Amino acid sequence: MAIQSQSTVSLPTLVTQSTQSLLNRRVSTEDSLYHICLTVRKRLELLPQIKPYLNLAHSSSELSSERQALLLSQKQQLNQQHHRSVGSQTSSVSNGNGTKQGSDRRISALSTNSYSDEQDTSNLSIEETVVTFSMGILPISMDCDPVTQLSHLFQQGSPLCIIFNAVKPQFKLPVVSSDDLKICKKSIYDFILACKKYFTFSDEELFTISDVFSNATDHFIKVLDVVITLLDSAPQVFPQVPVEEVKWSNTDQGKIVREFVETERKYVYDLEILNEYRNQLLQRGIISSEELYMLFPNLNDIIDFQRRFLISLEINGQVEPFKQRIGALFMHSKHFFKLYEPWSIGQTAAIDFISSSFDKMQRSDFVIANKLELQSFLLKPVQRLCKYPLLLRELLQQSNNTANCKELELAWDISKSIARNINENQRRTENHEVVKKLYDRVVNWKGYRIAKFGELLYFDKVSISTGNPNETEHDFEVYLFEKIIILFSEVVQKKGNSISLKKKSSSASASTLHLSVNGIGSSSPSGSSGEPKLDLRGRIMIVNLNKITPIDSRCLNIIWESPKEQGNFVLKFKNEETRDSWSSSLQVLLRQVRSESLKSNNSNSDRSSLSSNNYFPHNSMNSLNSNQNRRISDVLPRFHTHQSFENEYRSISENYRASIPETTLLVRISFQNDFYTVLVEINSGIENLLQIIKRKLTHAGTITKIKYQDEDGDYVMLESEDDWSVVKDMLRESSDRILNVWAYS
């Protein structure tokens, strides 16, 4: 970086200025790379010798802009061809006749489809479609951007020598104009050596030859810093030129574009602050490289992209509204917003790390010296991505141009999808932490294993009732997993209140399921996290959902049904938005269950065979009262879908029961309307148990799965050591050494 006190491009290290003032600092055109380059170009135009080189740089940068537009157009065509040929390609591949071309896997720079979650195997290389320092395509009235023009000017080599000679005429460098790359590089090399010798630049403040020809904005800024330092050292040759303020339109659309550009400038400035702080941490070696990436993932790439994005916004702000292509800018840039995914996923971990480790990251000369302000800076990227849909919506509402409206509509869809994806990433990350804490908060999991619930989708404190106005609502912590809905209540002093959830038996006789609810208001035992302990009160399997219906403004009625029973309950949420999120997620899960059920039906003869094979492995909404262990079977007649063992119990005499060795279990197997018994050592593993059962039934058929009936009356697969451990714990608690299982071929 060049002499910092004179540079207007590189972010200075601000020691005396507070971080709070950095956050609130108004960013103007003087901080914009686009306007800085406009000003430098005007200063250079004051030197007659350099004008021909500026004209040549303008022509070459105009050519680069046309090339970029052509690349984007080609990618658009490739993308459209790919979407049209998806069906035929799939058919060809299935017949072994087709291969997928690599070009079809490349990023589509201009797509009429909105941003989606589909996997893109392309990388996010800027160089693939961006050969200028602006994103996308220019408005039709703009030939090139000034940043690219100056970059091409410096690449000629000889203009740098002319600048040096104007500043230091007593130490003139040879000026050799040529389009030969070697001669251009020789001129650049001479310039670098002269700056080091006569301006006492350090190696860190100077640039390299490869920096001049690089397409990265960081490298260009290093070159620009040195050039500005030379210009400022000779004000009589290169007098200061005031930065022209943009003349914004006074229309509503003009005001929105102005807000768009000015807030984008501030955002890029904040990213620069964050990057400066990151570099300070890196130079001091205060934290590891892994911790640096966790705090600032993809920061360099994000800044490079956002600088180009801002340059394009600045250009669009210079032209009439009907010529603006802000919508197209989002369409061209949509894949680069995926750079933010690691940022959104790791933000919670970053904030936690700052909370615990900021003391070692704090120095008086650092650009950020406050923990809360660093957290504020880290939130900026996600906040900005969520701001784009609002700005685009306002712009779309004010746009009267038909072509622009179409682009803005697509851009709005893209920005909303980006914001949704960012929010979804954060929600999933937060949910993983919630599940970790939940595991320790629950007093007794009743034999359930949280690892088998699938991913946690939503959780909230919800009021639950049956929908009967005469019955009282009670609050539960409700967790929606992919496979199950679980209800918890806080562990508090008991006051005997109760709630009844209306339920009908399969025979349509009325009955009531009671969930005993502890009183509210007493102090709650807390877990290690400081949150209250929870008691598992009830659950409903997703496979048993029947119908989900939004009612009123905040309520969701859920009807469930299993082969043994059915019923309903009403969830009352804090607001309509939360209710709709739960409803949408439950509807998706319900469709998945029905789709799987349809596939299962196609592989079985009829519905009755599904029932006899226990398609629904769990009953629906069981009470798990910690005092009485009350179950649905306690308040409803049980309608078994399996043959009962009750009558067979009589055939086992008390003498025979007593004769079973203490180290042995008697396993009674129901298979194809017949019963078999085997003795198994309690300490044997699950593999040994399954082998013994299969050997016993070899003559009767091949066994593919085995289920047992748990203490709640549910039929659970017996297939792992964990399952086997739960079974043994259940028998130990009941002091029973007889296990009833069902085998299926």
Side-chain angles (χ1 to χ4, degrees):
M1 192 165 61
I3 300 173
Q4 292 181 349
S5 61
Q6 297 178 354
S7 171
T8 58
V9 181
S10 296
L11 184 70
T13 302
L14 303 175
V15 179
T16 59
Q17 189 174 4
S18 70
T19 307
Q20 185 62 43
S21 64
L22 283 177
L23 278 169
N24 298 328
R25 181 185 183 277
R26 183 180 180 276
V27 178
S28 65
T29 53
E30 295 179 355
D31 304 290
S32 163
L33 180 59
Y34 173 83
H35 287 282
I36 289 172
C37 288
L38 282 178
T39 301
V40 170
R41 188 178 68 183
K42 289 180 180 179
R43 296 177 73 183
L44 292 175
E45 287 173 348
L46 298 174
L47 195 64
Q49 305 97 297
I50 213 165
K51 282 188 176 181
Y53 298 96
L54 279 169
N55 293 336
L56 182 60
H58 183 279
S59 299
S60 61
S61 58
E62 182 180 5
L63 200 60
S64 294
S65 297
E66 293 176 358
R67 179 186 167 206
Q68 183 165 305
L70 179 61
L71 285 171
L72 293 169
S73 176
Q74 290 172 343
K75 284 186 173 294
Q76 176 192 7
Q77 294 174 8
L78 285 172
N79 184 71
Q80 291 174 344
Q81 291 172 5
H82 172 68
H83 283 289
R84 285 197 299 266
S85 61
V86 164
S88 60
Q89 284 183 358
T90 303
S91 175
S92 299
V93 169
S94 64
N95 293 324
N97 298 325
T99 59
K100 188 172 183 179
Q101 299 298 320
S103 58
D104 288 335
R105 298 194 297 267
R106 299 169 67 191
I107 292 176
S108 169
L110 178 60
S111 172
T112 55
N113 296 319
S114 61
Y115 184 91
S116 68
D117 292 329
E118 67 182 64
Q119 295 296 317
D120 193 329
T121 57
S122 308
N123 57 41
L124 296 175
S125 171
I126 285 285
E127 287 79 5
E128 188 174 3
T129 53
V130 184
V131 296
T132 71
F133 283 93
S134 62
M135 292 299 301
I137 59 176
L138 299 173
I140 194 169
S141 58
M142 303 293 285
D143 298 326
C144 67
D145 68 89
V147 187
T148 303
Q149 183 182 1
L150 286 188
S151 174
H152 287 192
L153 177 72
F154 301 150
Q155 289 172 8
Q156 296 175 44
S158 50
L160 292 174
C161 295
I162 293 173
I163 294 170
F164 181 87
N165 293 343
V167 175
K168 293 284 187 180
Q170 66 273 35
F171 305 110
K172 281 195 174 181
L173 298 176
V175 177
V176 182
S177 301
S178 174
D179 57 2
D180 188 307
L181 186 59
K182 291 183 179 179
I183 296 176
C184 295
K185 289 183 176 181
K186 177 62 169 61
S187 296
I188 296 171
Y189 179 72
D190 291 341
F191 175 82
I192 294 172
L193 287 182
C195 287
K196 191 172 184 179
K197 182 176 181 180
Y198 299 110
F199 281 91
T200 64
F201 280 98
S202 66
D203 290 335
E204 291 75 19
E205 293 168 334
L206 281 167
F207 54 86
T208 65
I209 295 175
S210 60
D211 288 338
V212 179
F213 293 92
S214 171
N215 191 32
T217 55
D218 269 344
H219 297 158
F220 170 77
I221 288 175
K222 288 177 65 177
V223 181
L224 188 61
D225 269 346
V226 174
V227 171
I228 290 177
T229 301
L230 264 63
L231 299 185
D232 290 345
S233 69
Q236 70 282 3
V237 182
F238 301 103
Q240 291 288 345
V241 177
V243 179
E244 289 187 11
E245 288 294 330
V246 181
K247 296 180 180 179
W248 301 102
S249 169
N250 286 325
T251 63
D252 290 338
Q253 184 175 354
K255 292 176 182 178
I256 297 168
V257 172
R258 177 176 183 173
E259 181 187 359
F260 213 140
V261 173
E262 290 182 345
T263 54
E264 188 71 19
R265 287 179 193 157
K266 181 64 170 73
Y267 173 54
V268 173
Y269 178 84
D270 289 340
L271 290 178
E272 303 270 10
I273 293 279
L274 208 52
N275 195 45
E276 177 70 7
Y277 179 72
R278 174 190 175 277
N279 290 335
Q280 289 172 333
L281 291 174
L282 180 63
Q283 291 164 6
R284 301 285 183 91
I286 294 175
I287 60 178
S288 67
S289 57
E290 291 79 9
E291 290 168 334
L292 271 175
Y293 184 81
M294 181 266 295
L295 285 174
F296 316 104
N298 290 341
L299 182 56
N300 286 337
D301 292 332
I302 288 172
I303 291 178
D304 187 71
F305 161 66
Q306 293 293 166
R307 283 171 180 157
R308 299 170 193 267
F309 190 83
L310 173 58
I311 289 168
S312 295
L313 276 179
E314 298 269 21
I315 293 172
N316 278 278
Q318 308 298 309
V319 301
E320 297 88 340
F322 68 91
K323 294 181 181 179
Q324 292 171 356
R325 304 294 303 279
I326 294 176
L329 172 59
F330 274 85
M331 293 159 63
H332 297 145
S333 304
K334 66 178 182 178
H335 291 284
F336 294 103
F337 285 110
K338 292 181 182 179
L339 289 166
Y340 284 95
E341 287 184 358
W343 196 286
S344 61
I345 292 171
Q347 192 165 81
T348 301
I351 298 299
D352 291 343
F353 179 79
I354 293 170
S355 299
S356 62
S357 307
F358 185 77
D359 288 344
K360 68 179 181 180
M361 302 159 56
Q362 190 172 12
R363 297 290 188 278
S364 60
D365 59 337
F366 278 8
V367 66
I368 298 176
N370 180 285
K371 180 191 301 185
L372 294 178
E373 303 304 340
L374 176 56
Q375 292 177 348
S376 297
F377 274 108
L378 291 177
L379 293 172
K380 294 285 185 179
V382 171
Q383 290 172 345
R384 186 58 182 171
L385 293 182
C386 293
K387 178 71 172 176
Y388 286 142
L390 304 178
L391 291 168
L392 286 168
R393 182 184 63 186
E394 293 179 2
L395 199 56
L396 178 60
Q397 290 172 348
Q398 299 299 328
S399 179
N400 297 320
N401 185 283
T402 305
N404 285 358
C405 280
K406 181 62 177 176
E407 289 182 348
L408 286 171
E409 286 176 359
L410 293 172
W412 187 34
D413 288 339
I414 290 168
S415 66
K416 287 189 294 183
S417 296
I418 293 169
R420 279 196 301 268
N421 290 341
I422 293 296
N423 289 331
E424 180 66 14
N425 288 336
Q426 288 190 309
R427 186 186 63 78
R428 288 186 175 183
T429 302
E430 292 169 358
N431 283 357
H432 284 305
E433 296 301 317
V434 169
V435 170
K436 290 180 183 178
K437 294 178 181 178
L438 181 64
Y439 184 82
D440 293 325
R441 289 182 65 197
V442 177
V443 175
N444 184 359
W445 279 100
K446 315 284 186 183
Y448 289 94
R449 293 182 297 281
I450 198 170
K452 290 195 172 185
F453 295 166
E455 183 181 345
L456 175 63
L457 303 178
Y458 292 101
F459 65 95
D460 207 343
K461 287 190 176 181
V462 180
S463 296
I464 298 183
S465 69
T466 64
N468 187 335
N470 296 323
E471 294 182 359
T472 307
E473 295 179 354
H474 289 274
D475 293 335
F476 290 90
E477 285 194 26
V478 183
Y479 290 74
L480 170 59
F481 290 85
E482 288 179 311
K483 298 180 180 180
I484 192 172
I485 303 172
I486 306 185
L487 280 66
F488 300 98
S489 64
E490 294 183 6
V491 177
V492 294
Q493 294 180 1
K494 303 162 188 175
K495 294 185 179 179
N497 295 333
S498 64
I499 177 175
S500 297
L501 297 188
K502 183 171 63 178
K503 184 181 65 168
K504 298 171 289 184
S505 69
S506 298
S507 60
S509 62
S511 186
T512 304
L513 166 65
H514 295 281
L515 282 177
S516 178
V517 180
N518 293 329
I520 307 299
S522 302
S523 59
S524 304
S526 297
S528 58
S529 63
E531 296 178 284
K533 287 286 189 177
L534 298 176
D535 188 16
L536 200 161
R537 313 311 300 276
R539 83 279 186 271
I540 178 170
M541 304 302 298
I542 299 299
V543 296
N544 291 335
L545 295 181
N546 188 303
K547 189 176 182 181
I548 298 103
T549 308
I551 55 177
D552 299 330
S553 59
R554 298 185 289 140
C555 297
L556 196 63
N557 185 47
I558 296 180
I559 299 175
W560 53 268
E561 180 180 4
S562 78
K564 293 175 286 184
E565 54 213 6
Q566 57 182 289
N568 81 292
F569 60 101
V570 177
L571 303 178
K572 186 176 182 180
F573 297 93
K574 297 174 183 176
N575 53 59
E576 185 175 357
E577 181 181 2
T578 303
R579 189 274 310 272
D580 290 344
S581 297
W582 281 67
S583 177
S584 176
S585 184
L586 283 166
Q587 295 288 0
V588 170
L589 294 175
L590 184 57
R591 286 195 296 270
Q592 291 174 350
V593 166
R594 288 174 175 171
S595 175
E596 293 171 3
S597 175
L598 181 60
K599 293 178 183 178
S600 181
N601 275 322
N602 291 336
S603 62
N604 293 274
S605 58
D606 53 36
R607 174 94 180 165
S608 62
S609 66
L610 284 174
S611 297
S612 64
N613 287 326
N614 194 27
Y615 175 69
F616 298 98
H618 296 271
N619 66 327
S620 295
M621 183 74 187
N622 279 5
S623 166
L624 296 173
N625 187 298
S626 58
N627 299 320
Q628 302 174 357
N629 290 322
R630 179 172 290 167
R631 305 176 301 183
I632 286 184
S633 58
D634 296 325
V635 292
L636 280 182
R638 182 177 296 280
F639 295 90
H640 289 293
T641 57
H642 297 270
Q643 184 173 350
S644 175
F645 279 105
E646 294 298 326
N647 294 331
E648 297 298 319
Y649 284 164
R650 299 193 186 98
S651 64
I652 302 178
S653 66
E654 291 301 321
N655 289 335
Y656 184 77
R657 287 173 180 269
S659 68
I660 301 175
E662 292 184 0
T663 60
T664 306
L665 292 177
L666 175 66
V667 181
R668 307 188 66 248
I669 311 156
S670 171
F671 181 64
Q672 294 182 349
N673 298 320
D674 207 347
F675 294 90
Y676 306 86
T677 59
V678 293
L679 289 174
V680 179
E681 289 293 324
I682 293 177
N683 294 329
S684 64
I686 184 65
E687 290 297 329
N688 184 48
L689 170 68
L690 297 179
Q691 288 176 5
I692 291 174
I693 293 175
K694 290 177 181 179
R695 281 200 303 268
K696 182 72 174 182
L697 303 179
T698 300
H699 69 284
T702 302
I703 305 303
T704 60
K705 59 183 178 181
I706 296 171
K707 293 182 180 181
Y708 73 96
Q709 189 175 21
D710 69 8
E711 57 187 358
D712 292 327
D714 297 340
Y715 297 93
V716 184
M717 288 289 292
L718 185 56
E719 56 186 352
S720 68
E721 289 293 346
D722 287 341
D723 299 330
W724 184 222
S725 297
V726 171
V727 169
K728 289 188 285 187
D729 289 343
M730 178 184 70
L731 294 175
R732 190 178 299 112
E733 290 177 3
S734 63
S735 300
D736 198 353
R737 292 202 303 278
I738 299 177
L739 173 66
N740 301 312
V741 301
W742 285 261
Y744 305 96
S745 57

